Amino acid sequence: MTSGKREEILGRIREALRVPAPRRDAGHNGAPPPVDSIEPRAWLPAIPPEAEGQLALFEKHCLQLRTDFQLVAGVEEAVKTLATLRSRHQWTLGA
């Protein structure tokens, strides 16, 4: 990884860390979390209720993260897509 690429990644991480995450606990004193923060939906970002909206939001986030989002029609097409990616990027292992 080049120094410039590394700094770019670290810069994005620093930018993301500027906004403090909500805390679910009341500290280290063993007290239970406040009642209003128990439900994760209260502090997680809003997402559309329908599948199409969720997919559109996911695609938008993929663009922002500069990832390669490919929607496939089924398992066979997914296998072909992964085989193409494996060949293109010379992968030797797959998770």
Side-chain angles (χ1 to χ4, degrees), residues 3-66:
S3 177
K5 192 71 163 170
R6 181 177 183 273
E7 285 305 313
E8 179 184 337
I9 292 169
L10 290 174
R12 287 193 305 222
I13 292 171
R14 285 185 203 102
E15 182 180 336
L17 291 174
R18 284 189 187 129
V19 178
R23 298 206 41 132
R24 288 197 46 164
D25 61 1
H28 296 285
N29 62 3
V35 176
D36 62 347
S37 70
I38 291 176
E39 178 59 42
R41 289 280 169 229
W43 49 270
L44 287 173
I47 59 167
E50 73 286 345
E52 294 83 15
Q54 292 171 8
L55 185 61
L57 182 61
F58 183 78
E59 188 171 10
K60 175 185 169 197
H61 289 158
C62 286
L63 287 171
Q64 290 173 341
L65 294 170
R66 300 181 191 135

Side-chain angles (χ1 to χ4, degrees), residues 51-52 55-56 58-59 62 68-75 77-78 81:
E52 294 83 15
L55 185 61
F58 183 78
E59 188 171 10
C62 286
D68 184 11
F69 174 72
Q70 297 184 27
L71 184 61
V72 295
V75 174
E77 190 177 343
T81 302

